[in-house]
DNA sequence: GAGTGGTCTAGACCACTCC
DNA sequence: GAGTGGTCTAGACCACTCT
């Protein structure tokens, strides 16, 4: 026999594995069910554990699985639709019950944020930490940066940090006229602090939503919100029940 | 000496590596510059290649690096801001020069898309493939699903597939009154066909933008657009020059 | 303490690009 | 053919959770 080329499509093992497991999830498992552990799965499929893990990682990235150290791998529920549409000229903290102010500090403002803010050099920037919770589970961690110039009425005698201060900053911000806002979404990996708030490991994939609040011809505030990419689907329209399609 | 616990923070090696390399990218490298190869980097940092790769993978996920098999690892330019705001009541293909219709076929429609479409069971669904190109490089691959009922005027004698057919479907679609649309963004991994169009490996992370076009009280079309997550930043406002902040 | 997923190693071979 | 990143292996140990 000659050099018969039957193996024309050398599909990676982990890719094929992913497909097989994905189909098994559809037919043989219910949401929340625990899969066999990695060592057993690897043995069952006849691959090294690292290869098996590569397949599981992809499925977790696609929101099909959920893995927790010390616990196990479970079948994830469908992603939650989280509304991030610009609620017509609304400052953060105005009637939105899903966000809760957690803290405020004179944090070190990232250079990338400073570039977006129309802040004078050396101007102090308030950093308000907020957490977005739906159905009791945190879905997003936000850092809202507000230059001191945007909240001139802020009581200097107020607490220098903590939740009370955070609410004070938000209250002052609402005094301004909101001219508009623009928003961008990109992929990122969770910083250590965000990961902790979201109950994830540092470096896990997140959707970073950056919002710029415009008032009086300047950028009055910048929000950097970090959404769990595994469990969230960001929605922009009026109907929040779009299903995933990848 | 007792059990002095100086190693209080057992930060993973790859995480620390990532930080070190990230800082080196800021100071010692220019955009487009080629990094030393993985084997040399691993040796230089005194870690196994797999560990080094874990750090590089994260940096690629964050859009800092670009890796191409057979070529090398280069410093990535800042992410491109891609406008995905709902251009006020516009059907796809109306005056948007960034999209080009590539193909049309009676593709197998995914179950998830069928659930979104108000299509009769068994109704044929046209699948139009389009490619979004900015600055000569493809940034997104789209599959636009149009039930036959949405384009009643489509010439039955037209070509059953190919670019000509794609343009015909888009032309017919524009005859309808567009009542509204809603949109969602989520993380996914590139299918083999999308990956090929986007010049990426299958499984690479993508931002999946699902758009539902509403007309006459029904879902007239559904678009599933796959954006390269490494190079793209999706923007929704009017100013497209937001910088990343993660 | 038992069991889970997370990290890490030191190797090997393969697929691809470019010369 | 030389050099690159991509895949895969078979182990080891660590961090965490639950009981």
């Amino acid at each position: 026999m000659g050099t018969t080329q039957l193996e024309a499509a050398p599909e990676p093992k982990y890719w094929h594995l992913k497909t097989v497991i994905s189909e098994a999830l559809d037919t043989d498992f219910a949401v929340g069910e625990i899969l066999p552990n990695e060592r057993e799965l690897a043995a069952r499929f006849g691959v090294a554990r690292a290869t098996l893990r590569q397949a599981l990682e992809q499925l977790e990235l696609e929101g099909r699985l959920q893995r927790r150290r010390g616990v196990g791998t479970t079948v994830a529920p469908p992603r939650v639709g989280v509304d991030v549409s610009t609620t017509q000229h609304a400052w953060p903290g105005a009637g939105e019950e899903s966000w809760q102010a957690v803290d405020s500090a004179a944090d070190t403002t990232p250079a990338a944020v400073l570039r977006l803010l129309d802040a004078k050099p050396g101007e102090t920037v308030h950093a308000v930490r907020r957490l977005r919770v739906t159905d009791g589970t945190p879905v997003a961690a936000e850092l809202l940066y507000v230059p001191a110039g945007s909240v001139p009425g802020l009581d200097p005698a107020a607490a220098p940090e903590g939740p009370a201060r955070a609410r004070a900053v938000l209250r002052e911000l609402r005094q301004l006229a909101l001219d508009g806002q623009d928003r961008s979404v990109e992929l990122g990996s969770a910083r250590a602090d965000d990961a902790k708030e979201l109950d994830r490991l540092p470096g896990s994939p997140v959707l970073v939503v950056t919002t710029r609040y415009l008032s009086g011809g300047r950028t009055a505030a910048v929000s950097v919100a970090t959404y769990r990419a595994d469990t969230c689907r960001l929605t922009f329209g009026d109907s929040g029940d779009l299903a995933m399609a990848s």
PDB file of all heavy atoms in Angstrom, chain C residues 6-18:
ATOM      1  P    DG C   6      -9.866  24.669  38.158  1.00  0.00           P
ATOM      2  OP1  DG C   6     -10.493  25.999  38.092  1.00  0.00           O
ATOM      3  OP2  DG C   6      -9.642  23.876  36.939  1.00  0.00           O
ATOM      4  O5'  DG C   6      -8.481  24.811  38.949  1.00  0.00           O
ATOM      5  C5'  DG C   6      -8.341  25.878  39.888  1.00  0.00           C
ATOM      6  C4'  DG C   6      -6.865  26.151  40.138  1.00  0.00           C
ATOM      7  O4'  DG C   6      -6.226  24.962  40.613  1.00  0.00           O
ATOM      8  C3'  DG C   6      -6.093  26.577  38.887  1.00  0.00           C
ATOM      9  O3'  DG C   6      -5.232  27.662  39.226  1.00  0.00           O
ATOM     10  C2'  DG C   6      -5.328  25.332  38.497  1.00  0.00           C
ATOM     11  C1'  DG C   6      -5.069  24.698  39.857  1.00  0.00           C
ATOM     12  N9   DG C   6      -4.884  23.258  39.790  1.00  0.00           N
ATOM     13  C8   DG C   6      -5.726  22.348  39.193  1.00  0.00           C
ATOM     14  N7   DG C   6      -5.301  21.116  39.286  1.00  0.00           N
ATOM     15  C5   DG C   6      -4.106  21.222  39.980  1.00  0.00           C
ATOM     16  C6   DG C   6      -3.186  20.211  40.378  1.00  0.00           C
ATOM     17  O6   DG C   6      -3.245  18.995  40.178  1.00  0.00           O
ATOM     18  N1   DG C   6      -2.094  20.749  41.068  1.00  0.00           N
ATOM     19  C2   DG C   6      -1.925  22.084  41.335  1.00  0.00           C
ATOM     20  N2   DG C   6      -0.813  22.415  42.007  1.00  0.00           N
ATOM     21  N3   DG C   6      -2.776  23.029  40.973  1.00  0.00           N
ATOM     22  C4   DG C   6      -3.836  22.530  40.299  1.00  0.00           C
ATOM     23  P    DT C   7      -4.255  28.234  38.139  1.00  0.00           P
ATOM     24  OP1  DT C   7      -4.075  29.651  38.495  1.00  0.00           O
ATOM     25  OP2  DT C   7      -4.721  27.827  36.786  1.00  0.00           O
ATOM     26  O5'  DT C   7      -2.893  27.482  38.439  1.00  0.00           O
ATOM     27  C5'  DT C   7      -2.200  27.801  39.635  1.00  0.00           C
ATOM     28  C4'  DT C   7      -0.930  26.995  39.719  1.00  0.00           C
ATOM     29  O4'  DT C   7      -1.232  25.592  39.575  1.00  0.00           O
ATOM     30  C3'  DT C   7       0.111  27.311  38.630  1.00  0.00           C
ATOM     31  O3'  DT C   7       1.269  27.781  39.293  1.00  0.00           O
ATOM     32  C2'  DT C   7       0.319  25.977  37.912  1.00  0.00           C
ATOM     33  C1'  DT C   7      -0.146  24.965  38.950  1.00  0.00           C
ATOM     34  N1   DT C   7      -0.624  23.663  38.430  1.00  0.00           N
ATOM     35  C2   DT C   7       0.059  22.524  38.769  1.00  0.00           C
ATOM     36  O2   DT C   7       1.052  22.526  39.466  1.00  0.00           O
ATOM     37  N3   DT C   7      -0.470  21.367  38.258  1.00  0.00           N
ATOM     38  C4   DT C   7      -1.595  21.241  37.454  1.00  0.00           C
ATOM     39  O4   DT C   7      -1.973  20.149  37.051  1.00  0.00           O
ATOM     40  C5   DT C   7      -2.256  22.476  37.137  1.00  0.00           C
ATOM     41  C7   DT C   7      -3.489  22.451  36.272  1.00  0.00           C
ATOM     42  C6   DT C   7      -1.749  23.615  37.637  1.00  0.00           C
ATOM     43  P    DC C   8       2.424  28.428  38.420  1.00  0.00           P
ATOM     44  OP1  DC C   8       3.212  29.269  39.338  1.00  0.00           O
ATOM     45  OP2  DC C   8       1.824  28.985  37.209  1.00  0.00           O
ATOM     46  O5'  DC C   8       3.336  27.191  38.000  1.00  0.00           O
ATOM     47  C5'  DC C   8       3.956  26.411  39.016  1.00  0.00           C
ATOM     48  C4'  DC C   8       4.603  25.186  38.405  1.00  0.00           C
ATOM     49  O4'  DC C   8       3.587  24.223  38.075  1.00  0.00           O
ATOM     50  C3'  DC C   8       5.357  25.425  37.095  1.00  0.00           C
ATOM     51  O3'  DC C   8       6.740  25.519  37.391  1.00  0.00           O
ATOM     52  C2'  DC C   8       5.012  24.181  36.243  1.00  0.00           C
ATOM     53  C1'  DC C   8       4.180  23.315  37.191  1.00  0.00           C
ATOM     54  N1   DC C   8       3.100  22.520  36.542  1.00  0.00           N
ATOM     55  C2   DC C   8       3.194  21.131  36.521  1.00  0.00           C
ATOM     56  O2   DC C   8       4.173  20.604  37.036  1.00  0.00           O
ATOM     57  N3   DC C   8       2.209  20.409  35.920  1.00  0.00           N
ATOM     58  C4   DC C   8       1.170  21.028  35.366  1.00  0.00           C
ATOM     59  N4   DC C   8       0.227  20.281  34.803  1.00  0.00           N
ATOM     60  C5   DC C   8       1.043  22.451  35.377  1.00  0.00           C
ATOM     61  C6   DC C   8       2.032  23.158  35.967  1.00  0.00           C
ATOM     62  P    DT C   9       7.820  25.602  36.229  1.00  0.00           P
ATOM     63  OP1  DT C   9       9.012  26.242  36.813  1.00  0.00           O
ATOM     64  OP2  DT C   9       7.181  26.169  35.037  1.00  0.00           O
ATOM     65  O5'  DT C   9       8.167  24.092  35.938  1.00  0.00           O
ATOM     66  C5'  DT C   9       8.465  23.226  37.028  1.00  0.00           C
ATOM     67  C4'  DT C   9       8.755  21.835  36.519  1.00  0.00           C
ATOM     68  O4'  DT C   9       7.514  21.201  36.151  1.00  0.00           O
ATOM     69  C3'  DT C   9       9.652  21.799  35.282  1.00  0.00           C
ATOM     70  O3'  DT C   9      10.796  21.013  35.557  1.00  0.00           O
ATOM     71  C2'  DT C   9       8.799  21.148  34.200  1.00  0.00           C
ATOM     72  C1'  DT C   9       7.716  20.438  34.995  1.00  0.00           C
ATOM     73  N1   DT C   9       6.403  20.361  34.294  1.00  0.00           N
ATOM     74  C2   DT C   9       5.861  19.147  34.003  1.00  0.00           C
ATOM     75  O2   DT C   9       6.386  18.097  34.286  1.00  0.00           O
ATOM     76  N3   DT C   9       4.648  19.196  33.361  1.00  0.00           N
ATOM     77  C4   DT C   9       3.948  20.330  32.985  1.00  0.00           C
ATOM     78  O4   DT C   9       2.869  20.258  32.415  1.00  0.00           O
ATOM     79  C5   DT C   9       4.583  21.583  33.313  1.00  0.00           C
ATOM     80  C7   DT C   9       3.920  22.865  32.947  1.00  0.00           C
ATOM     81  C6   DT C   9       5.768  21.546  33.942  1.00  0.00           C
ATOM     82  P    DA C  10      12.212  21.412  34.931  1.00  0.00           P
ATOM     83  OP1  DA C  10      13.208  21.238  35.994  1.00  0.00           O
ATOM     84  OP2  DA C  10      12.084  22.682  34.211  1.00  0.00           O
ATOM     85  O5'  DA C  10      12.421  20.272  33.858  1.00  0.00           O
ATOM     86  C5'  DA C  10      12.234  18.901  34.248  1.00  0.00           C
ATOM     87  C4'  DA C  10      12.057  18.052  33.004  1.00  0.00           C
ATOM     88  O4'  DA C  10      10.676  18.117  32.574  1.00  0.00           O
ATOM     89  C3'  DA C  10      12.889  18.533  31.802  1.00  0.00           C
ATOM     90  O3'  DA C  10      13.448  17.389  31.162  1.00  0.00           O
ATOM     91  C2'  DA C  10      11.869  19.236  30.929  1.00  0.00           C
ATOM     92  C1'  DA C  10      10.641  18.359  31.189  1.00  0.00           C
ATOM     93  N9   DA C  10       9.359  18.992  30.869  1.00  0.00           N
ATOM     94  C8   DA C  10       9.053  20.323  30.885  1.00  0.00           C
ATOM     95  N7   DA C  10       7.811  20.587  30.537  1.00  0.00           N
ATOM     96  C5   DA C  10       7.261  19.347  30.288  1.00  0.00           C
ATOM     97  C6   DA C  10       5.976  18.932  29.883  1.00  0.00           C
ATOM     98  N6   DA C  10       4.976  19.784  29.653  1.00  0.00           N
ATOM     99  N1   DA C  10       5.759  17.609  29.717  1.00  0.00           N
ATOM    100  C2   DA C  10       6.772  16.760  29.942  1.00  0.00           C
ATOM    101  N3   DA C  10       8.022  17.025  30.329  1.00  0.00           N
ATOM    102  C4   DA C  10       8.204  18.348  30.486  1.00  0.00           C
ATOM    103  P    DG C  11      14.640  17.539  30.177  1.00  0.00           P
ATOM    104  OP1  DG C  11      15.516  16.416  30.421  1.00  0.00           O
ATOM    105  OP2  DG C  11      15.151  18.913  30.225  1.00  0.00           O
ATOM    106  O5'  DG C  11      13.933  17.325  28.769  1.00  0.00           O
ATOM    107  C5'  DG C  11      13.851  16.027  28.276  1.00  0.00           C
ATOM    108  C4'  DG C  11      12.420  15.674  27.925  1.00  0.00           C
ATOM    109  O4'  DG C  11      11.514  16.693  28.372  1.00  0.00           O
ATOM    110  C3'  DG C  11      12.117  15.615  26.437  1.00  0.00           C
ATOM    111  O3'  DG C  11      12.626  14.435  25.881  1.00  0.00           O
ATOM    112  C2'  DG C  11      10.608  15.664  26.452  1.00  0.00           C
ATOM    113  C1'  DG C  11      10.271  16.420  27.735  1.00  0.00           C
ATOM    114  N9   DG C  11       9.514  17.624  27.515  1.00  0.00           N
ATOM    115  C8   DG C  11       9.910  18.923  27.744  1.00  0.00           C
ATOM    116  N7   DG C  11       8.979  19.790  27.488  1.00  0.00           N
ATOM    117  C5   DG C  11       7.892  19.029  27.048  1.00  0.00           C
ATOM    118  C6   DG C  11       6.590  19.408  26.635  1.00  0.00           C
ATOM    119  O6   DG C  11       6.131  20.549  26.552  1.00  0.00           O
ATOM    120  N1   DG C  11       5.819  18.304  26.281  1.00  0.00           N
ATOM    121  C2   DG C  11       6.247  17.004  26.337  1.00  0.00           C
ATOM    122  N2   DG C  11       5.370  16.065  25.964  1.00  0.00           N
ATOM    123  N3   DG C  11       7.454  16.631  26.736  1.00  0.00           N
ATOM    124  C4   DG C  11       8.217  17.688  27.078  1.00  0.00           C
ATOM    125  P    DA C  12      13.243  14.411  24.434  1.00  0.00           P
ATOM    126  OP1  DA C  12      14.098  13.211  24.329  1.00  0.00           O
ATOM    127  OP2  DA C  12      13.770  15.753  24.128  1.00  0.00           O
ATOM    128  O5'  DA C  12      11.941  14.171  23.548  1.00  0.00           O
ATOM    129  C5'  DA C  12      11.064  13.092  23.859  1.00  0.00           C
ATOM    130  C4'  DA C  12       9.754  13.310  23.126  1.00  0.00           C
ATOM    131  O4'  DA C  12       9.126  14.482  23.659  1.00  0.00           O
ATOM    132  C3'  DA C  12       9.956  13.591  21.643  1.00  0.00           C
ATOM    133  O3'  DA C  12       9.662  12.403  20.906  1.00  0.00           O
ATOM    134  C2'  DA C  12       8.948  14.696  21.334  1.00  0.00           C
ATOM    135  C1'  DA C  12       8.299  15.026  22.662  1.00  0.00           C
ATOM    136  N9   DA C  12       8.163  16.457  22.914  1.00  0.00           N
ATOM    137  C8   DA C  12       9.138  17.332  23.308  1.00  0.00           C
ATOM    138  N7   DA C  12       8.717  18.567  23.469  1.00  0.00           N
ATOM    139  C5   DA C  12       7.371  18.495  23.143  1.00  0.00           C
ATOM    140  C6   DA C  12       6.355  19.465  23.109  1.00  0.00           C
ATOM    141  N6   DA C  12       6.557  20.742  23.404  1.00  0.00           N
ATOM    142  N1   DA C  12       5.122  19.054  22.739  1.00  0.00           N
ATOM    143  C2   DA C  12       4.944  17.762  22.436  1.00  0.00           C
ATOM    144  N3   DA C  12       5.809  16.768  22.436  1.00  0.00           N
ATOM    145  C4   DA C  12       7.022  17.202  22.803  1.00  0.00           C
ATOM    146  P    DC C  13      10.149  12.353  19.385  1.00  0.00           P
ATOM    147  OP1  DC C  13      10.251  10.920  19.067  1.00  0.00           O
ATOM    148  OP2  DC C  13      11.294  13.263  19.167  1.00  0.00           O
ATOM    149  O5'  DC C  13       8.904  12.955  18.610  1.00  0.00           O
ATOM    150  C5'  DC C  13       7.605  12.415  18.850  1.00  0.00           C
ATOM    151  C4'  DC C  13       6.562  13.392  18.344  1.00  0.00           C
ATOM    152  O4'  DC C  13       6.633  14.607  19.099  1.00  0.00           O
ATOM    153  C3'  DC C  13       6.737  13.791  16.870  1.00  0.00           C
ATOM    154  O3'  DC C  13       5.570  13.405  16.162  1.00  0.00           O
ATOM    155  C2'  DC C  13       6.922  15.303  16.919  1.00  0.00           C
ATOM    156  C1'  DC C  13       6.270  15.666  18.251  1.00  0.00           C
ATOM    157  N1   DC C  13       6.754  16.951  18.814  1.00  0.00           N
ATOM    158  C2   DC C  13       5.850  18.000  19.013  1.00  0.00           C
ATOM    159  O2   DC C  13       4.663  17.833  18.731  1.00  0.00           O
ATOM    160  N3   DC C  13       6.308  19.176  19.510  1.00  0.00           N
ATOM    161  C4   DC C  13       7.595  19.322  19.811  1.00  0.00           C
ATOM    162  N4   DC C  13       8.001  20.487  20.294  1.00  0.00           N
ATOM    163  C5   DC C  13       8.531  18.262  19.616  1.00  0.00           C
ATOM    164  C6   DC C  13       8.074  17.114  19.125  1.00  0.00           C
ATOM    165  P    DC C  14       5.500  13.602  14.604  1.00  0.00           P
ATOM    166  OP1  DC C  14       4.874  12.388  14.068  1.00  0.00           O
ATOM    167  OP2  DC C  14       6.824  14.057  14.105  1.00  0.00           O
ATOM    168  O5'  DC C  14       4.483  14.806  14.443  1.00  0.00           O
ATOM    169  C5'  DC C  14       3.297  14.836  15.249  1.00  0.00           C
ATOM    170  C4'  DC C  14       2.557  16.144  15.003  1.00  0.00           C
ATOM    171  O4'  DC C  14       3.210  17.210  15.720  1.00  0.00           O
ATOM    172  C3'  DC C  14       2.513  16.574  13.534  1.00  0.00           C
ATOM    173  O3'  DC C  14       1.199  16.998  13.220  1.00  0.00           O
ATOM    174  C2'  DC C  14       3.519  17.712  13.465  1.00  0.00           C
ATOM    175  C1'  DC C  14       3.410  18.309  14.862  1.00  0.00           C
ATOM    176  N1   DC C  14       4.619  19.016  15.345  1.00  0.00           N
ATOM    177  C2   DC C  14       4.526  20.354  15.721  1.00  0.00           C
ATOM    178  O2   DC C  14       3.447  20.936  15.634  1.00  0.00           O
ATOM    179  N3   DC C  14       5.636  20.986  16.164  1.00  0.00           N
ATOM    180  C4   DC C  14       6.793  20.316  16.251  1.00  0.00           C
ATOM    181  N4   DC C  14       7.862  20.982  16.698  1.00  0.00           N
ATOM    182  C5   DC C  14       6.906  18.960  15.877  1.00  0.00           C
ATOM    183  C6   DC C  14       5.806  18.348  15.431  1.00  0.00           C
ATOM    184  P    DA C  15       0.824  17.338  11.727  1.00  0.00           P
ATOM    185  OP1  DA C  15      -0.545  16.851  11.519  1.00  0.00           O
ATOM    186  OP2  DA C  15       1.936  16.929  10.850  1.00  0.00           O
ATOM    187  O5'  DA C  15       0.767  18.937  11.720  1.00  0.00           O
ATOM    188  C5'  DA C  15      -0.223  19.600  12.485  1.00  0.00           C
ATOM    189  C4'  DA C  15      -0.165  21.088  12.199  1.00  0.00           C
ATOM    190  O4'  DA C  15       1.052  21.634  12.740  1.00  0.00           O
ATOM    191  C3'  DA C  15      -0.185  21.451  10.723  1.00  0.00           C
ATOM    192  O3'  DA C  15      -0.961  22.638  10.585  1.00  0.00           O
ATOM    193  C2'  DA C  15       1.280  21.688  10.408  1.00  0.00           C
ATOM    194  C1'  DA C  15       1.801  22.256  11.715  1.00  0.00           C
ATOM    195  N9   DA C  15       3.205  21.971  12.009  1.00  0.00           N
ATOM    196  C8   DA C  15       3.886  20.812  11.777  1.00  0.00           C
ATOM    197  N7   DA C  15       5.136  20.850  12.174  1.00  0.00           N
ATOM    198  C5   DA C  15       5.281  22.122  12.702  1.00  0.00           C
ATOM    199  C6   DA C  15       6.367  22.793  13.281  1.00  0.00           C
ATOM    200  N6   DA C  15       7.573  22.239  13.446  1.00  0.00           N
ATOM    201  N1   DA C  15       6.177  24.058  13.701  1.00  0.00           N
ATOM    202  C2   DA C  15       4.962  24.608  13.540  1.00  0.00           C
ATOM    203  N3   DA C  15       3.858  24.088  13.010  1.00  0.00           N
ATOM    204  C4   DA C  15       4.097  22.825  12.607  1.00  0.00           C
ATOM    205  P    DC C  16      -1.272  23.183   9.163  1.00  0.00           P
ATOM    206  OP1  DC C  16      -2.676  23.628   9.200  1.00  0.00           O
ATOM    207  OP2  DC C  16      -0.812  22.195   8.159  1.00  0.00           O
ATOM    208  O5'  DC C  16      -0.346  24.468   9.048  1.00  0.00           O
ATOM    209  C5'  DC C  16      -0.450  25.480  10.052  1.00  0.00           C
ATOM    210  C4'  DC C  16       0.784  26.329  10.025  1.00  0.00           C
ATOM    211  O4'  DC C  16       1.915  25.513  10.323  1.00  0.00           O
ATOM    212  C3'  DC C  16       1.097  26.966   8.662  1.00  0.00           C
ATOM    213  O3'  DC C  16       0.692  28.320   8.711  1.00  0.00           O
ATOM    214  C2'  DC C  16       2.605  26.795   8.499  1.00  0.00           C
ATOM    215  C1'  DC C  16       3.043  26.192   9.831  1.00  0.00           C
ATOM    216  N1   DC C  16       4.159  25.224   9.760  1.00  0.00           N
ATOM    217  C2   DC C  16       5.439  25.601  10.161  1.00  0.00           C
ATOM    218  O2   DC C  16       5.617  26.765  10.552  1.00  0.00           O
ATOM    219  N3   DC C  16       6.458  24.711  10.102  1.00  0.00           N
ATOM    220  C4   DC C  16       6.225  23.468   9.667  1.00  0.00           C
ATOM    221  N4   DC C  16       7.258  22.613   9.638  1.00  0.00           N
ATOM    222  C5   DC C  16       4.920  23.050   9.261  1.00  0.00           C
ATOM    223  C6   DC C  16       3.922  23.947   9.315  1.00  0.00           C
ATOM    224  P    DT C  17       0.813  29.211   7.410  1.00  0.00           P
ATOM    225  OP1  DT C  17      -0.183  30.289   7.552  1.00  0.00           O
ATOM    226  OP2  DT C  17       0.790  28.294   6.261  1.00  0.00           O
ATOM    227  O5'  DT C  17       2.260  29.853   7.515  1.00  0.00           O
ATOM    228  C5'  DT C  17       2.617  30.571   8.693  1.00  0.00           C
ATOM    229  C4'  DT C  17       4.037  31.107   8.567  1.00  0.00           C
ATOM    230  O4'  DT C  17       4.980  30.027   8.717  1.00  0.00           O
ATOM    231  C3'  DT C  17       4.354  31.779   7.228  1.00  0.00           C
ATOM    232  O3'  DT C  17       4.986  33.005   7.516  1.00  0.00           O
ATOM    233  C2'  DT C  17       5.281  30.783   6.528  1.00  0.00           C
ATOM    234  C1'  DT C  17       5.956  30.093   7.704  1.00  0.00           C
ATOM    235  N1   DT C  17       6.422  28.691   7.496  1.00  0.00           N
ATOM    236  C2   DT C  17       7.674  28.318   7.929  1.00  0.00           C
ATOM    237  O2   DT C  17       8.440  29.073   8.465  1.00  0.00           O
ATOM    238  N3   DT C  17       7.990  26.993   7.696  1.00  0.00           N
ATOM    239  C4   DT C  17       7.186  26.031   7.095  1.00  0.00           C
ATOM    240  O4   DT C  17       7.575  24.890   6.943  1.00  0.00           O
ATOM    241  C5   DT C  17       5.899  26.506   6.662  1.00  0.00           C
ATOM    242  C7   DT C  17       4.955  25.544   5.985  1.00  0.00           C
ATOM    243  C6   DT C  17       5.573  27.788   6.879  1.00  0.00           C
ATOM    244  P    DC C  18       5.255  34.063   6.415  1.00  0.00           P
ATOM    245  OP1  DC C  18       4.995  35.383   6.983  1.00  0.00           O
ATOM    246  OP2  DC C  18       4.555  33.609   5.182  1.00  0.00           O
ATOM    247  O5'  DC C  18       6.824  33.929   6.165  1.00  0.00           O
ATOM    248  C5'  DC C  18       7.714  33.967   7.283  1.00  0.00           C
ATOM    249  C4'  DC C  18       9.100  33.504   6.858  1.00  0.00           C
ATOM    250  O4'  DC C  18       9.106  32.075   6.735  1.00  0.00           O
ATOM    251  C3'  DC C  18       9.572  34.072   5.521  1.00  0.00           C
ATOM    252  O3'  DC C  18      10.841  34.651   5.704  1.00  0.00           O
ATOM    253  C2'  DC C  18       9.593  32.855   4.604  1.00  0.00           C
ATOM    254  C1'  DC C  18       9.846  31.725   5.597  1.00  0.00           C
ATOM    255  N1   DC C  18       9.374  30.384   5.151  1.00  0.00           N
ATOM    256  C2   DC C  18      10.148  29.243   5.428  1.00  0.00           C
ATOM    257  O2   DC C  18      11.217  29.378   6.032  1.00  0.00           O
ATOM    258  N3   DC C  18       9.706  28.028   5.014  1.00  0.00           N
ATOM    259  C4   DC C  18       8.535  27.941   4.362  1.00  0.00           C
ATOM    260  N4   DC C  18       8.136  26.721   3.985  1.00  0.00           N
ATOM    261  C5   DC C  18       7.738  29.086   4.085  1.00  0.00           C
ATOM    262  C6   DC C  18       8.184  30.286   4.497  1.00  0.00           C
TER     263       DC C  18
END
